[in-house]
mmCIF file with all atom_site columns, all heavy atoms in Angstrom:
data_model
loop_
_atom_site.group_PDB
_atom_site.id
_atom_site.type_symbol
_atom_site.label_atom_id
_atom_site.label_alt_id
_atom_site.label_comp_id
_atom_site.label_asym_id
_atom_site.label_entity_id
_atom_site.label_seq_id
_atom_site.pdbx_PDB_ins_code
_atom_site.Cartn_x
_atom_site.Cartn_y
_atom_site.Cartn_z
_atom_site.occupancy
_atom_site.B_iso_or_equiv
_atom_site.pdbx_formal_charge
_atom_site.auth_seq_id
_atom_site.auth_comp_id
_atom_site.auth_asym_id
_atom_site.auth_atom_id
_atom_site.pdbx_PDB_model_num
ATOM 1   N N   . PRO A 1 147 ? 99.709  120.123 109.525 1.00 0.00 ? 176 PRO A N   1
ATOM 2   C CA  . PRO A 1 147 ? 98.252  119.982 109.623 1.00 0.00 ? 176 PRO A CA  1
ATOM 3   C C   . PRO A 1 147 ? 97.767  119.509 108.232 1.00 0.00 ? 176 PRO A C   1
ATOM 4   O O   . PRO A 1 147 ? 98.130  120.053 107.233 1.00 0.00 ? 176 PRO A O   1
ATOM 5   C CB  . PRO A 1 147 ? 97.790  121.444 109.905 1.00 0.00 ? 176 PRO A CB  1
ATOM 6   C CG  . PRO A 1 147 ? 98.904  122.072 110.630 1.00 0.00 ? 176 PRO A CG  1
ATOM 7   C CD  . PRO A 1 147 ? 100.170 121.479 110.016 1.00 0.00 ? 176 PRO A CD  1
ATOM 8   N N   . LEU A 1 148 ? 96.820  118.535 108.292 1.00 0.00 ? 177 LEU A N   1
ATOM 9   C CA  . LEU A 1 148 ? 96.284  117.980 107.105 1.00 0.00 ? 177 LEU A CA  1
ATOM 10  C C   . LEU A 1 148 ? 95.611  119.104 106.251 1.00 0.00 ? 177 LEU A C   1
ATOM 11  O O   . LEU A 1 148 ? 94.732  119.810 106.729 1.00 0.00 ? 177 LEU A O   1
ATOM 12  C CB  . LEU A 1 148 ? 95.287  116.895 107.476 1.00 0.00 ? 177 LEU A CB  1
ATOM 13  C CG  . LEU A 1 148 ? 94.554  116.150 106.359 1.00 0.00 ? 177 LEU A CG  1
ATOM 14  C CD1 . LEU A 1 148 ? 95.533  115.462 105.448 1.00 0.00 ? 177 LEU A CD1 1
ATOM 15  C CD2 . LEU A 1 148 ? 93.582  115.132 106.972 1.00 0.00 ? 177 LEU A CD2 1
ATOM 16  N N   . GLU A 1 149 ? 96.004  119.162 104.985 1.00 0.00 ? 178 GLU A N   1
ATOM 17  C CA  . GLU A 1 149 ? 95.386  120.242 104.145 1.00 0.00 ? 178 GLU A CA  1
ATOM 18  C C   . GLU A 1 149 ? 93.936  119.980 103.955 1.00 0.00 ? 178 GLU A C   1
ATOM 19  O O   . GLU A 1 149 ? 93.460  118.875 103.851 1.00 0.00 ? 178 GLU A O   1
ATOM 20  C CB  . GLU A 1 149 ? 96.139  120.188 102.765 1.00 0.00 ? 178 GLU A CB  1
ATOM 21  C CG  . GLU A 1 149 ? 97.489  120.899 102.731 1.00 0.00 ? 178 GLU A CG  1
ATOM 22  C CD  . GLU A 1 149 ? 98.108  120.784 101.401 1.00 0.00 ? 178 GLU A CD  1
ATOM 23  O OE1 . GLU A 1 149 ? 97.440  121.108 100.389 1.00 0.00 ? 178 GLU A OE1 1
ATOM 24  O OE2 . GLU A 1 149 ? 99.304  120.425 101.340 1.00 0.00 ? 178 GLU A OE2 1
ATOM 25  N N   . ALA A 1 150 ? 93.219  121.085 103.783 1.00 0.00 ? 179 ALA A N   1
ATOM 26  C CA  . ALA A 1 150 ? 91.752  121.007 103.608 1.00 0.00 ? 179 ALA A CA  1
ATOM 27  C C   . ALA A 1 150 ? 91.361  120.087 102.460 1.00 0.00 ? 179 ALA A C   1
ATOM 28  O O   . ALA A 1 150 ? 90.457  119.226 102.622 1.00 0.00 ? 179 ALA A O   1
ATOM 29  C CB  . ALA A 1 150 ? 91.139  122.383 103.487 1.00 0.00 ? 179 ALA A CB  1
ATOM 30  N N   . GLU A 1 151 ? 92.080  120.179 101.374 1.00 0.00 ? 180 GLU A N   1
ATOM 31  C CA  . GLU A 1 151 ? 91.589  119.356 100.174 1.00 0.00 ? 180 GLU A CA  1
ATOM 32  C C   . GLU A 1 151 ? 91.831  117.884 100.420 1.00 0.00 ? 180 GLU A C   1
ATOM 33  O O   . GLU A 1 151 ? 91.161  117.052 99.820  1.00 0.00 ? 180 GLU A O   1
ATOM 34  C CB  . GLU A 1 151 ? 92.285  119.850 98.886  1.00 0.00 ? 180 GLU A CB  1
ATOM 35  C CG  . GLU A 1 151 ? 93.825  119.744 99.004  1.00 0.00 ? 180 GLU A CG  1
ATOM 36  C CD  . GLU A 1 151 ? 94.501  120.326 97.718  1.00 0.00 ? 180 GLU A CD  1
ATOM 37  O OE1 . GLU A 1 151 ? 93.819  120.827 96.819  1.00 0.00 ? 180 GLU A OE1 1
ATOM 38  O OE2 . GLU A 1 151 ? 95.751  120.170 97.646  1.00 0.00 ? 180 GLU A OE2 1
ATOM 39  N N   . HIS A 1 152 ? 92.734  117.494 101.345 1.00 0.00 ? 181 HIS A N   1
ATOM 40  C CA  . HIS A 1 152 ? 92.933  116.147 101.693 1.00 0.00 ? 181 HIS A CA  1
ATOM 41  C C   . HIS A 1 152 ? 92.134  115.670 102.913 1.00 0.00 ? 181 HIS A C   1
ATOM 42  O O   . HIS A 1 152 ? 92.357  114.598 103.464 1.00 0.00 ? 181 HIS A O   1
ATOM 43  C CB  . HIS A 1 152 ? 94.410  115.808 101.918 1.00 0.00 ? 181 HIS A CB  1
ATOM 44  C CG  . HIS A 1 152 ? 95.211  115.825 100.612 1.00 0.00 ? 181 HIS A CG  1
ATOM 45  N ND1 . HIS A 1 152 ? 94.940  114.955 99.599  1.00 0.00 ? 181 HIS A ND1 1
ATOM 46  C CD2 . HIS A 1 152 ? 96.206  116.574 100.156 1.00 0.00 ? 181 HIS A CD2 1
ATOM 47  C CE1 . HIS A 1 152 ? 95.766  115.073 98.588  1.00 0.00 ? 181 HIS A CE1 1
ATOM 48  N NE2 . HIS A 1 152 ? 96.517  116.187 98.878  1.00 0.00 ? 181 HIS A NE2 1
ATOM 49  N N   . GLY A 1 153 ? 91.231  116.508 103.356 1.00 0.00 ? 182 GLY A N   1
ATOM 50  C CA  . GLY A 1 153 ? 90.327  116.131 104.453 1.00 0.00 ? 182 GLY A CA  1
ATOM 51  C C   . GLY A 1 153 ? 90.510  116.805 105.765 1.00 0.00 ? 182 GLY A C   1
ATOM 52  O O   . GLY A 1 153 ? 89.837  116.449 106.741 1.00 0.00 ? 182 GLY A O   1
ATOM 53  N N   . GLY A 1 154 ? 91.389  117.829 105.851 1.00 0.00 ? 183 GLY A N   1
ATOM 54  C CA  . GLY A 1 154 ? 91.576  118.558 107.100 1.00 0.00 ? 183 GLY A CA  1
ATOM 55  C C   . GLY A 1 154 ? 90.327  119.309 107.452 1.00 0.00 ? 183 GLY A C   1
ATOM 56  O O   . GLY A 1 154 ? 89.565  119.654 106.580 1.00 0.00 ? 183 GLY A O   1
ATOM 57  N N   . PRO A 1 155 ? 90.108  119.505 108.769 1.00 0.00 ? 184 PRO A N   1
ATOM 58  C CA  . PRO A 1 155 ? 90.957  119.232 109.942 1.00 0.00 ? 184 PRO A CA  1
ATOM 59  C C   . PRO A 1 155 ? 91.327  117.761 110.196 1.00 0.00 ? 184 PRO A C   1
ATOM 60  O O   . PRO A 1 155 ? 92.452  117.512 110.564 1.00 0.00 ? 184 PRO A O   1
ATOM 61  C CB  . PRO A 1 155 ? 90.224  119.810 111.132 1.00 0.00 ? 184 PRO A CB  1
ATOM 62  C CG  . PRO A 1 155 ? 89.262  120.791 110.525 1.00 0.00 ? 184 PRO A CG  1
ATOM 63  C CD  . PRO A 1 155 ? 88.950  120.311 109.166 1.00 0.00 ? 184 PRO A CD  1
ATOM 64  N N   . ALA A 1 156 ? 90.434  116.850 109.966 1.00 0.00 ? 185 ALA A N   1
ATOM 65  C CA  . ALA A 1 156 ? 90.757  115.473 110.363 1.00 0.00 ? 185 ALA A CA  1
ATOM 66  C C   . ALA A 1 156 ? 89.960  114.494 109.391 1.00 0.00 ? 185 ALA A C   1
ATOM 67  O O   . ALA A 1 156 ? 88.822  114.804 109.037 1.00 0.00 ? 185 ALA A O   1
ATOM 68  C CB  . ALA A 1 156 ? 90.362  115.208 111.818 1.00 0.00 ? 185 ALA A CB  1
ATOM 69  N N   . ARG A 1 157 ? 90.613  113.430 109.078 1.00 0.00 ? 186 ARG A N   1
ATOM 70  C CA  . ARG A 1 157 ? 90.002  112.435 108.215 1.00 0.00 ? 186 ARG A CA  1
ATOM 71  C C   . ARG A 1 157 ? 90.246  111.033 108.782 1.00 0.00 ? 186 ARG A C   1
ATOM 72  O O   . ARG A 1 157 ? 91.103  110.820 109.599 1.00 0.00 ? 186 ARG A O   1
ATOM 73  C CB  . ARG A 1 157 ? 90.583  112.513 106.756 1.00 0.00 ? 186 ARG A CB  1
ATOM 74  C CG  . ARG A 1 157 ? 91.933  111.807 106.686 1.00 0.00 ? 186 ARG A CG  1
ATOM 75  C CD  . ARG A 1 157 ? 92.494  111.798 105.299 1.00 0.00 ? 186 ARG A CD  1
ATOM 76  N NE  . ARG A 1 157 ? 91.762  111.077 104.329 1.00 0.00 ? 186 ARG A NE  1
ATOM 77  C CZ  . ARG A 1 157 ? 91.930  111.194 103.016 1.00 0.00 ? 186 ARG A CZ  1
ATOM 78  N NH1 . ARG A 1 157 ? 92.854  112.029 102.508 1.00 0.00 ? 186 ARG A NH1 1
ATOM 79  N NH2 . ARG A 1 157 ? 91.139  110.502 102.223 1.00 0.00 ? 186 ARG A NH2 1
ATOM 80  N N   . LEU A 1 158 ? 89.418  110.141 108.297 1.00 0.00 ? 187 LEU A N   1
ATOM 81  C CA  . LEU A 1 158 ? 89.652  108.736 108.644 1.00 0.00 ? 187 LEU A CA  1
ATOM 82  C C   . LEU A 1 158 ? 90.837  108.230 107.720 1.00 0.00 ? 187 LEU A C   1
ATOM 83  O O   . LEU A 1 158 ? 91.008  108.653 106.642 1.00 0.00 ? 187 LEU A O   1
ATOM 84  C CB  . LEU A 1 158 ? 88.390  107.946 108.287 1.00 0.00 ? 187 LEU A CB  1
ATOM 85  C CG  . LEU A 1 158 ? 88.085  106.688 108.984 1.00 0.00 ? 187 LEU A CG  1
ATOM 86  C CD1 . LEU A 1 158 ? 88.050  106.829 110.499 1.00 0.00 ? 187 LEU A CD1 1
ATOM 87  C CD2 . LEU A 1 158 ? 86.762  106.094 108.520 1.00 0.00 ? 187 LEU A CD2 1
ATOM 88  N N   . LEU A 1 159 ? 91.607  107.319 108.312 1.00 0.00 ? 188 LEU A N   1
ATOM 89  C CA  . LEU A 1 159 ? 92.667  106.654 107.561 1.00 0.00 ? 188 LEU A CA  1
ATOM 90  C C   . LEU A 1 159 ? 92.511  105.164 107.784 1.00 0.00 ? 188 LEU A C   1
ATOM 91  O O   . LEU A 1 159 ? 92.714  104.703 108.902 1.00 0.00 ? 188 LEU A O   1
ATOM 92  C CB  . LEU A 1 159 ? 94.070  107.161 108.035 1.00 0.00 ? 188 LEU A CB  1
ATOM 93  C CG  . LEU A 1 159 ? 95.264  106.438 107.397 1.00 0.00 ? 188 LEU A CG  1
ATOM 94  C CD1 . LEU A 1 159 ? 95.337  106.731 105.919 1.00 0.00 ? 188 LEU A CD1 1
ATOM 95  C CD2 . LEU A 1 159 ? 96.557  106.833 108.109 1.00 0.00 ? 188 LEU A CD2 1
ATOM 96  N N   . VAL A 1 160 ? 92.130  104.449 106.727 1.00 0.00 ? 189 VAL A N   1
ATOM 97  C CA  . VAL A 1 160 ? 92.005  102.999 106.791 1.00 0.00 ? 189 VAL A CA  1
ATOM 98  C C   . VAL A 1 160 ? 92.770  102.436 105.592 1.00 0.00 ? 189 VAL A C   1
ATOM 99  O O   . VAL A 1 160 ? 92.239  102.061 104.594 1.00 0.00 ? 189 VAL A O   1
ATOM 100 C CB  . VAL A 1 160 ? 90.552  102.555 106.729 1.00 0.00 ? 189 VAL A CB  1
ATOM 101 C CG1 . VAL A 1 160 ? 90.398  101.079 107.052 1.00 0.00 ? 189 VAL A CG1 1
ATOM 102 C CG2 . VAL A 1 160 ? 89.630  103.376 107.589 1.00 0.00 ? 189 VAL A CG2 1
ATOM 103 N N   . PRO A 1 161 ? 94.099  102.424 105.745 1.00 0.00 ? 190 PRO A N   1
ATOM 104 C CA  . PRO A 1 161 ? 94.975  102.181 104.558 1.00 0.00 ? 190 PRO A CA  1
ATOM 105 C C   . PRO A 1 161 ? 94.851  100.845 103.972 1.00 0.00 ? 190 PRO A C   1
ATOM 106 O O   . PRO A 1 161 ? 95.208  100.596 102.770 1.00 0.00 ? 190 PRO A O   1
ATOM 107 C CB  . PRO A 1 161 ? 96.400  102.459 105.070 1.00 0.00 ? 190 PRO A CB  1
ATOM 108 C CG  . PRO A 1 161 ? 96.332  102.357 106.547 1.00 0.00 ? 190 PRO A CG  1
ATOM 109 C CD  . PRO A 1 161 ? 94.906  102.749 106.940 1.00 0.00 ? 190 PRO A CD  1
ATOM 110 N N   . HIS A 1 162 ? 94.367  99.801  104.722 1.00 0.00 ? 191 HIS A N   1
ATOM 111 C CA  . HIS A 1 162 ? 94.289  98.460  104.117 1.00 0.00 ? 191 HIS A CA  1
ATOM 112 C C   . HIS A 1 162 ? 93.083  98.284  103.238 1.00 0.00 ? 191 HIS A C   1
ATOM 113 O O   . HIS A 1 162 ? 92.903  97.235  102.628 1.00 0.00 ? 191 HIS A O   1
ATOM 114 C CB  . HIS A 1 162 ? 94.347  97.387  105.216 1.00 0.00 ? 191 HIS A CB  1
ATOM 115 C CG  . HIS A 1 162 ? 93.198  97.248  106.076 1.00 0.00 ? 191 HIS A CG  1
ATOM 116 N ND1 . HIS A 1 162 ? 92.917  98.120  107.139 1.00 0.00 ? 191 HIS A ND1 1
ATOM 117 C CD2 . HIS A 1 162 ? 92.127  96.378  106.100 1.00 0.00 ? 191 HIS A CD2 1
ATOM 118 C CE1 . HIS A 1 162 ? 91.808  97.761  107.730 1.00 0.00 ? 191 HIS A CE1 1
ATOM 119 N NE2 . HIS A 1 162 ? 91.279  96.708  107.123 1.00 0.00 ? 191 HIS A NE2 1
#
Side-chain angles (χ1 to χ4, degrees):
L177 180 60
E178 282 179 47
E180 58 182 7
H181 287 299
R186 78 178 297 165
L187 204 57
L188 174 66
V189 193
H191 70 283

